[in-house]
Amino acid sequence: DVLFEKKGYESVTKQVTIKAGNQGVTTDYTTFLDVQMKNITPSQVDCTSPANLNSVALDDKLVLTFTRDMDKTSVINALTITPEVKISTVWQSAKELVITSSAFANSTTYTIKIDGSVAKNSQTGQLLDGDKDGTDGGVYELKFTTEAPDTKAPFIESTYPPTDGEALCTYRPVIRIAYNEKINWNSNKVNNFV
C-alpha cells in the first residue's frame, strides 16, 4: 500500500505490485504508480487591482482574482457594498470578477464584502475562505477610497510636431496632442477643433 499525502489535498491510498525480474532484481523493471489527488484547499481572493486602493479613479475597474474557479452566482449573492451604491459585475473568467459603478462618489471610502458562508468554488463546492484562516467560511473584506474631485483643468503635455517645429511635408501628416489626463470629448468632436 502506498499513501499519498499533501497539505491541502485529499489523501489517497493505492496498492501497487512492484515488478521484479530475475532473482528479484528491479533495475530493468520499473514500476510506476500515478494518482490524482483532489485539491481540498478552500478558495480565497488571491489578489485585487488597482494596486493603490487609497485613490481609486471613479471609472477604474475593481478586479478580484480568486485562487480557484468560482460558482459565479453564489459569489454575486454573497457580495455587498457599503455605502450602498448600484454596481455592475462581470466575470472575465471563472476566477476574475470585475466590479464597476457609475454611482461612485469622490473622496468616499467603500467596503466590499463577500460572505464566505454563501460564496463557494465550482470545483469542489467548498465555501470561500474569506478571512484566509485556512478554513471554509469567513467574510472577505476589501476597503478602497475613491480619488478626490478633479478641480484642475487638463493641459497639453506635448505635441508633434513641436509648437515651434517645422512644417509637415509628408503625405497624410500626423499631428499628435497629448494631454496630462483623459479628456471626455463631447460626441461632436469636429466642434472641438479649429
Side-chain angles (χ1 to χ4, degrees):
D1 288 338
V2 181
L3 172 63
F4 294 86
E5 291 181 308
K6 181 174 172 62
K7 185 178 180 181
Y9 287 80
E10 196 172 66
S11 298
V12 175
T13 301
K14 290 283 186 180
Q15 193 173 63
V16 65
T17 303
I18 299 187
K19 298 176 185 175
N22 297 333
Q23 301 170 347
V25 178
T26 61
T27 54
D28 296 328
Y29 297 90
T30 304
T31 302
F32 292 96
L33 176 59
D34 294 325
V35 297
Q36 289 188 346
M37 298 173 69
K38 184 177 179 182
N39 184 338
I40 56 171
T41 304
S43 54
Q44 299 177 343
V45 175
D46 188 31
C47 61
T48 61
S49 71
N52 181 7
L53 295 174
N54 295 319
S55 184
V56 175
L58 297 182
D59 60 351
D60 267 351
K61 295 177 180 178
L62 292 164
V63 181
L64 305 181
T65 305
F66 296 86
T67 56
R68 306 189 72 162
D69 290 355
M70 299 302 292
D71 176 320
K72 298 172 185 178
T73 303
S74 72
V75 173
I76 300 305
N77 289 340
L79 191 144
T80 59
I81 185 166
T82 52
E84 191 173 324
V85 291
K86 184 174 168 111
I87 59 171
S88 297
T89 56
V90 175
W91 288 91
Q92 288 192 166
S93 70
K95 289 183 180 178
E96 280 192 343
L97 174 63
V98 178
I99 301 169
T100 57
S101 177
S102 59
F104 286 146
N106 288 106
S107 302
T108 305
T109 299
Y110 293 93
T111 303
I112 291 175
K113 290 184 180 179
I114 301 175
D115 185 348
S117 68
V118 176
K120 58 186 176 182
N121 74 61
S122 62
Q123 296 164 301
T124 63
Q126 288 173 286
L127 295 172
L128 175 73
D129 177 8
D131 53 9
K132 293 190 175 185
D133 66 355
T135 58
D136 300 18
V139 175
Y140 171 77
E141 188 173 296
L142 173 71
K143 287 189 178 197
F144 66 95
T145 303
T146 52
E147 64 188 354
D150 183 1
T151 58
K152 295 182 181 175
F155 59 86
I156 295 172
E157 284 188 318
S158 64
T159 62
Y160 178 83
T163 52
D164 57 352
E166 298 178 13
L168 300 170
C169 298
T170 59
Y171 176 70
R172 294 181 127 188
V174 174
I175 297 174
R176 183 179 59 82
I177 302 171
Y179 288 85
N180 69 318
E181 61 185 345
K182 189 188 294 186
I183 304 296
N184 185 16
W185 301 106
N186 65 32
S187 58
N188 188 358
K189 295 186 174 104
V190 174
N191 293 334
N192 292 315
F193 297 98
V194 178

